[in-house]
Amino acid sequence: MSMDSDLIPAAEACRLLGISPATLYAYVSRGLLESRPGRAHRSRVYRRQEVERLAQRKRLGRGAARGAAQSLDRGLPVMETRISLIRPDGPYYRGRSAVALARAGATLEDPARLLWDCGSQDPFADPPGDWPARLAPLANAAELPPLSRAMAVTPLRALRVPPSFQADQAPRRALAATRLRQNAGLLVARRPAGPVHRLLAGTWRPGDEAFAELVRAALVLCADHELNVSAFAARVVASTGAHLHATVCAGLSALAGPRHGGATARVCALLEDARQSRDVRRLVAVRWQQGEDLPGFGHALYPAGDPRAAELLAMLRAMPADPATMELVEAVVAAAAEVSGRRPNVDFTLAALCLAHGLTATHALSLFAAGRVAGWLAHALEQQTLGRLIRPRARYTGLPPDGDADAPHD
């Protein structure tokens, strides 16, 4: 993508938006737009696509029907939930800070109980059980990609379990607990047993207590993030009355996309490019100035920085890790801050955590999936309790029907 076609000067951005330069700078400070260094001294340029998207939002106005049209990309709220709240200092799980929970030593099972509104019930009291003999070869097939293995076995496990949408809350939560632990087992091709962070860390780096502590905190911080893409997908499926197993499959399928869970792979690629570069700052600056993204940096919901990433990065710096990789991570973080003003998000820190311990992008994605399933199940349980189908309407903008010249279209 060339500089000329994708990046535009401030004057052009103001023209497209119909605003003054002062208002344009205000948009940047509020996180509505991002600016990058231009070719001329002290000049700034803007991504045409972002400017045009913001201009379209301005044209849509605030009417109910038109407002809904712009709400599906981190815009207006589309439904109510009691599960989680996103604030500048990070997500809150039913009023409890995720960062504080991670800092206090909570395991993934603790926010799961909180997110599922368990009260005095402990859905993890019973063991998750072993794989049925017919499924064990597939569940333990380590040569398969983790998400693919989980998506293959999960619907087959549902064949032996009664439908969950007709059950009372306690059996649903118990099923959710089994589903969470079995999902973790599938992601590492091991029999599910013990706390999830112990299962993952013990499989990837046996005996490394410092690494297990990082995995524990990462799982807690990734447990839920409101109506993210995978949670919304799981919730839509749950609204049909489908089994909790189906909602987990929906979440895994959404997570597999490169614009969601696949972001960790793009972070690892950036770090590898930086490792091969003689000048990390120049590498980052050239990418940014040419209109390329910096994967793992910036977050639309955290203009001042992702608190989850800050917490994990602080822990990673304080614990033993590969010095060369940590030096590389610090160099990329510093370069991104200087060039773009952006700070790391949770995708970056998950990738950095794994690379600093000799693991890969696949492990980072599995870590994310093992934690986020707690949130998917929370949204599924809440939606099943509501008993309503999620079925939005589309605003048709195509060709009018044959012979109907007066049909509305854009």
Side-chain angles (χ1 to χ4, degrees):
M1 189 175 292
S2 69
M3 170 83 76
D4 292 336
S5 64
D6 188 57
L7 298 179
I8 59 177
E12 177 68 5
C14 287
R15 186 189 68 79
L16 290 172
L17 290 166
I19 59 176
S20 67
T23 302
L24 178 66
Y25 302 146
Y27 283 179
V28 173
S29 67
R30 289 160 51 195
L32 298 176
L33 284 175
E34 64 181 15
S35 66
R36 307 185 182 202
R39 289 175 175 171
H41 178 60
R42 299 184 66 181
S43 67
R44 308 296 293 180
V45 292
Y46 305 82
R47 294 193 67 173
R48 179 182 295 275
Q49 184 179 13
E50 287 189 0
V51 172
E52 291 177 344
R53 184 183 300 124
L54 182 57
Q56 181 183 31
R57 288 181 177 179
K58 284 167 61 69
R59 289 193 299 269
L60 284 173
R62 299 186 180 223
R66 291 181 178 269
Q70 61 177 302
S71 66
L72 295 181
D73 186 10
R74 285 170 285 209
L76 301 174
V78 297
M79 63 174 57
E80 295 180 350
T81 180
R82 295 176 178 268
I83 295 170
S84 62
L85 169 69
I86 295 176
R87 296 181 58 178
D89 58 340
Y92 280 71
Y93 304 151
R94 294 190 185 272
R96 298 283 301 279
S97 165
V99 172
L101 286 168
R103 200 172 287 170
T107 68
L108 177 62
E109 290 77 7
D110 294 320
R113 295 183 189 95
L114 193 61
L115 291 165
W116 303 344
D117 198 22
C118 290
S120 61
Q121 180 193 1
D122 183 7
F124 296 97
D126 295 328
D130 206 346
W131 307 119
R134 294 174 62 182
L135 295 184
L138 184 58
N140 297 323
E143 70 277 7
L144 294 176
L147 261 64
S148 298
R149 185 170 53 241
M151 286 189 284
V153 174
T154 296
L156 298 177
R157 287 292 294 133
L159 298 176
R160 292 172 171 261
V161 181
S164 56
F165 69 92
Q166 293 178 336
D168 293 332
Q169 284 285 31
R172 287 187 198 176
R173 295 186 192 113
L175 178 58
T178 298
R179 193 64 248 122
L180 181 143
R181 292 189 288 186
Q182 289 184 347
N183 182 69
L186 290 171
L187 290 170
V188 294
R190 295 276 293 272
R191 177 180 177 273
V196 170
H197 75 283
R198 290 287 178 188
L199 176 62
L200 269 58
T203 302
W204 295 337
R205 290 183 62 86
D208 190 336
E209 287 299 314
F211 177 71
E213 180 67 3
L214 285 167
V215 170
R216 177 200 62 75
L219 290 170
V220 171
L221 293 167
C222 290
D224 191 58
H225 208 235
E226 195 216 68
L227 283 182
N228 58 85
V229 175
S230 52
F232 188 64
R235 189 156 189 150
V236 170
V237 171
S239 78
T240 69
H243 209 293
L244 287 180
H245 291 66
T247 67
V248 170
C249 284
L252 289 168
S253 298
L255 191 65
R259 297 180 65 186
H260 191 11
T264 51
R266 296 170 57 227
V267 172
C268 287
L270 172 63
L271 289 171
E272 186 56 38
D273 288 345
R275 193 191 302 274
Q276 301 300 324
S277 174
R278 295 182 178 180
D279 189 339
V280 172
R281 186 198 177 284
R282 184 176 184 280
L283 169 75
V284 173
V286 168
R287 288 182 64 132
W288 184 251
Q289 291 167 0
Q290 289 180 344
E292 298 181 37
D293 288 332
L294 294 180
F297 288 91
H299 196 294
L301 300 180
Y302 300 114
D306 187 340
R308 302 168 300 171
E311 182 68 17
L312 272 182
L313 194 54
M315 291 182 65
L316 182 58
R317 287 166 172 157
M319 293 184 180
D322 176 57
T325 300
M326 286 305 301
E327 182 179 350
L328 176 68
V329 166
E330 298 290 7
V332 173
V333 169
E338 180 182 349
V339 170
S340 70
R342 289 186 163 193
R343 299 178 183 178
N345 60 35
V346 74
D347 297 316
F348 181 87
T349 47
L350 289 177
L353 184 160
C354 288
L355 290 183
H357 289 85
L359 303 174
T360 67
T362 299
H363 295 91
L365 178 56
S366 297
L367 179 56
F368 188 89
R372 187 53 57 85
V373 71
W376 299 339
L377 290 164
H379 284 279
L381 291 170
E382 184 177 65
Q383 191 62 40
Q384 287 183 347
T385 300
L386 292 174
R388 293 199 299 266
L389 184 70
I390 298 176
R391 201 297 191 187
R393 291 297 311 277
R395 185 171 186 270
Y396 180 66
T397 60
L399 294 173
D402 292 342
D404 188 357
D406 295 329
H409 61 280
D410 290 344

